[in-house]
Amino acid sequence: MRFYSRNRLIAALGDATVVVEAGWRSGSLNTAGHAAALGRPLGAVPGPVTSASSAGCHRLLREYDARCVTTTAEIRELWGDAAPGTTVGGATDPDRSRVLDALSSRSARPVLELSRRSGLAPERIGALLGLLELDGIVTRVESGWRKRPDGERRG
C-alpha cells in the first residue's frame, strides 16, 4: 500500500512526470496515471518498439496522450520552461556556472576535484553534471568529467 501512496505523492509534487522505458505492468505507469488524473503533463521516453521493457511507454503514448520526449529541452517544455535549464528565477544558475568554470575540455577531473575548485558539495556537483551531460555539454570518461569540445557537442 505504501507504494501506491508514494506514487500519488510523486505525481502530485512534480511539475511533470516522465516515464523512461517502462514495461507493460510497470509501477511507474501507476505514477503516470495519477499525474494524468491531476492534469500534470506526461512524457514518455520509449525504447525500441520490439522491446518488452518499452511496452508501458508505448501504452502511455497511445492511451494517455503522453508526449514522446527525447531531450532535456523537450522535458523542460512539458512544464513550460523552454529555456535550456540555465536559469533560476530568470537569472543564470550560479552553481552551474561554477561547475563549468571548474571543468576542462582537455583533461578529465573527478567530482572531488570539481568540488574543491568550485566550492560546491560533491552531491550538488553530481546533480549538475548529470544535467550538463543530458544537455550534451559535458562527458563522463574513466578518469572523471570534462567539457565536450564544441565540435563534439550532441544536439
Side-chain angles (χ1 to χ4, degrees), residues 81-104:
D81 180 13
T86 60
T87 61
V88 173
T92 301
D93 181 355
D95 289 353
R96 179 183 164 113
S97 297
R98 289 166 74 176
V99 170
L100 288 171
D101 289 343
L103 285 160
S104 168

Side-chain angles (χ1 to χ4, degrees), residues 107-110 141-145:
S107 59
R109 295 186 175 142
V141 295
E142 190 175 322
S143 57
W145 294 84

Side-chain angles (χ1 to χ4, degrees), residues 16-149:
T17 298
V18 177
V19 178
V20 180
E21 283 197 54
W24 185 260
R25 292 177 42 92
S26 170
S28 60
L29 299 180
N30 180 273
T31 304
H34 288 300
L38 292 168
R40 300 286 197 268
L42 188 58
V45 183
V49 293
T50 57
S51 171
S53 66
S54 297
C57 285
H58 296 135
R59 182 176 169 194
L60 289 175
L61 293 168
R62 256 188 339 273
E63 297 175 15
Y64 288 88
D65 289 328
R67 290 182 49 194
C68 182
V69 292
T70 59
T71 66
T72 56
E74 291 174 351
I75 292 170
R76 285 186 196 98
E77 286 175 12
L78 285 176
W79 67 77
D81 180 13
T86 60
T87 61
V88 173
T92 301
D93 181 355
D95 289 353
R96 179 183 164 113
S97 297
R98 289 166 74 176
V99 170
L100 288 171
D101 289 343
L103 285 160
S104 168
S105 58
R106 292 186 184 162
S107 59
R109 295 186 175 142
V111 170
L112 290 177
E113 175 64 15
L114 294 172
S115 177
R116 186 187 68 75
R117 287 174 179 256
S118 68
L120 298 171
E123 295 79 17
R124 178 71 175 142
I125 297 283
L128 290 166
L129 287 171
L131 293 172
L132 291 167
E133 183 179 33
L134 287 171
D135 286 338
I137 296 170
V138 302
T139 187
R140 186 178 198 167
V141 295
E142 190 175 322
S143 57
W145 294 84
R146 67 175 179 82
K147 288 182 192 175
R148 288 181 178 271

Side-chain angles (χ1 to χ4, degrees), residues 6-15 17 31-32 34-35 38 40:
R6 183 192 69 196
N7 286 353
R8 282 192 294 277
L9 285 172
I10 290 169
L13 291 173
D15 291 327
T17 298
T31 304
H34 288 300
L38 292 168
R40 300 286 197 268

